């Protein structure tokens, strides 16, 4: 009978057999990020994850599982340990570089207001047909369709709740809602 985890000899053979896979994945990620990350660092992360994942492996198809584990470990390494924008260590530690994290609530030196207060207020958006009265449009619809729209869209009820309140099936409410929306689209476009 096969045990849940591979023996030491099986694990070592698995690691040696899949070492080129780990190196290939690491090299591809290093190439993807150019000079921002060292290839040797990613190879080390990939190989370490290969050893960890091989110890957990209890399947016949090892390669897809190992590939996912290695890629995940490299992504975690990139996210947690690597600055993908190279800034000198002195500038990074002093915080005097354009890629630092800053809050919009902080008042910059030499300024009387925060960056958030300096932002211009957004222009009100003009929506064509916004002057239409929704109640007047709903009154032009048949009563069942208007009721379905009012309950589901304006009052926020689910189709099931609206159906219970109207005493009809949920599919009838959905059909009435679809038909009403199609008619409203035609009225607004005209």
């Amino acid at each position: 009978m096969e045990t849940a985890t591979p023996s030491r000899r099986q694990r070592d053979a698995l690691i040696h057999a899949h070492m080129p896979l780990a190196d290939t994945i690491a090299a591809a990620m290093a190439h993807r990020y150019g000079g921002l990350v060292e290839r040797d660092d990613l190879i080390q992360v990939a190989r370490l994850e290969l050893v960890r994942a091989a110890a957990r492996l209890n399947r016949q198809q090892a390669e897809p599982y190992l590939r996912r584990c290695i890629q995940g470990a490299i992504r975690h390494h990139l996210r947690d340990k690597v600055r993908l924008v190279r800034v000198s260590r002195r500038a990074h530690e002093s915080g005097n570089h354009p890629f630092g994290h800053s809050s919009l609530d902080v008042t910059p030196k030499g300024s009387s207001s925060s960056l958030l207060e300096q932002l211009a207020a957004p222009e009100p958006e003009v929506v064509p047909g916004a002057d239409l009265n929704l109640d007047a449009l709903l009154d032009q619809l048949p009563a069942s369709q208007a009721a379905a729209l009012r309950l589901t869209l304006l009052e926020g009820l689910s189709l099931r709740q609206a159906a219970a309140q109207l005493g009809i099936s949920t599919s009838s409410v959905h059909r009435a809602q679809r038909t009403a929306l199609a008619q409203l689209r035609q009225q607004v476009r005209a």
Side-chain angles (χ1 to χ4, degrees):
M1 284 180 54
E2 190 176 345
T3 61
T5 58
S7 69
R8 184 178 186 127
R9 182 172 291 159
Q10 290 171 332
R11 188 193 69 198
D12 290 348
L14 186 71
I15 291 170
H16 287 294
H18 289 88
M19 194 70 71
L21 173 70
D23 292 349
T24 302
I25 293 171
M29 293 294 261
H31 179 73
R32 181 178 180 186
Y33 290 103
L36 297 175
V37 62
E38 295 293 327
R39 181 174 184 258
D40 292 338
D41 291 345
L42 294 186
I43 288 174
Q44 184 178 14
V45 169
R47 287 180 177 180
L48 181 62
E49 184 57 30
L50 174 64
V51 171
R52 288 180 185 151
R56 296 188 305 258
L57 188 68
N58 59 359
R59 302 180 190 168
Q60 295 293 333
Q61 298 259 337
E63 186 170 332
Y65 175 75
L66 294 174
R67 180 180 298 277
R68 283 193 316 271
C69 290
I70 292 167
Q71 288 172 339
I74 290 175
R75 285 188 193 111
H76 286 287
H77 175 74
L78 290 171
R79 181 193 68 206
D80 297 338
K81 306 279 192 241
V82 177
R83 288 177 284 154
L84 294 179
V85 176
R86 290 287 183 179
V87 177
S88 71
R89 170 169 266 160
R90 183 174 296 146
H92 182 72
E93 290 172 352
S94 68
N96 295 330
H97 57 85
F99 303 113
H101 300 287
S102 61
S103 173
L104 293 176
D105 294 331
V106 175
T107 305
K109 294 177 183 175
S111 177
S112 60
S113 60
S114 69
L115 295 174
L116 188 60
E117 293 167 348
Q118 294 174 9
L119 291 175
E123 295 287 328
E125 185 175 332
V126 178
V127 179
D131 58 340
L132 295 175
N133 186 359
L134 185 60
D135 288 327
L137 289 174
L138 289 176
D139 289 341
Q140 295 175 4
L141 296 173
S144 62
Q145 294 175 4
L149 278 184
R150 279 191 175 98
L151 291 175
T152 56
L153 296 181
L154 299 178
E155 293 183 21
L157 296 179
S158 68
L159 291 175
R160 183 175 289 151
Q161 293 168 332
Q165 195 166 355
L166 294 172
I168 58 176
S169 70
T170 56
S171 60
S172 296
V173 173
H174 187 260
R175 205 173 6 231
Q177 182 185 35
R178 263 196 344 245
T179 306
L181 287 172
Q183 288 179 3
L184 286 176
R185 281 188 201 101
Q186 288 176 352
Q187 288 178 6
V188 169
R189 287 182 187 149

